Each structure stands twice: as structure tokens, then as C-alpha cells.
């Protein structure tokens, strides 16, 4: 299975020589498995507060530590 495009942007035919962009995935193996937790809806911050905090959602407003085991950056 050839996953690369040719210089013209078209996908090569199966009879074309393999490209050099890396091995094709093996049959039966997924390319990736995503695990994305569900975020519950909550009332977002006001725009000015959200800009200061770096997020509009209070549950994502977590402390930032400059170094491991250090004190929170305020």
C-alpha cells in the first residue's frame, strides 16, 4: 500500500514503485487510537478573565509550575 503522493500531487497506482516516505501500515493494525475524555459543559469565564487565565473554562484553569515540585506560578 503506497501512502505517498507523486510530485504532481496525485496518488500513485498500486503498480508504481514504493515511495521513500516510510513503511505502509500493516493490514489489521490501526494507524492510531485516540482517547479523548469528555469535558462537561460549565459556564465559561468572562472574556477579560479568560484572557488573563488563558482558558475560558474553569475546569481547565490549572496551576502552572515552573519546575517539578516548585511553587505555582501566579
Amino acid at each position: 500500500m503506497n501512502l505517498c503522493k507523486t510530485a504532481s500531487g496525485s496518488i500513485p497506482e498500486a503498480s508504481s514503485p514504493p515511495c521513500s516516505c516510510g513503511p505502509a501500515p500493516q493490514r489489521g493494525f490501526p494507524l492510531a487510537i485516540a482517547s479523548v475524555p469528555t469535558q462537561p459543559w460549565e459556564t465559561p469565564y468572562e472574556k477579560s478573565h479568560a484572557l488573563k487565565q488563558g482558558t475560558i473554562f474553569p475546569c481547565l484553569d490549572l496551576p502552572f509550575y515552573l519546575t517539578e515540585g516548585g511553587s505555582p506560578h501566579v
Side-chain angles (χ1 to χ4, degrees):
M1 180 175 172
N2 194 335
L3 299 178
C4 298
K5 292 184 178 180
T6 62
S8 66
S10 64
I11 297 174
E13 297 298 321
S15 60
S16 300
C19 65
S20 61
C21 67
Q26 300 298 315
R27 291 185 185 264
F29 290 101
L31 293 176
I33 298 173
S35 175
V36 182
T38 305
Q39 178 182 338
W41 176 256
E42 60 183 328
T43 305
Y45 286 144
E46 293 295 323
K47 291 178 185 177
S48 60
H49 186 69
L51 185 60
K52 181 181 176 191
Q53 296 305 112
T55 181
I56 62 170
F57 297 108
C59 69
L60 297 179
D61 192 359
L62 303 172
F64 175 72
Y65 294 93
L66 293 175
T67 60
E68 187 175 324
S71 59
H73 181 265
V74 189

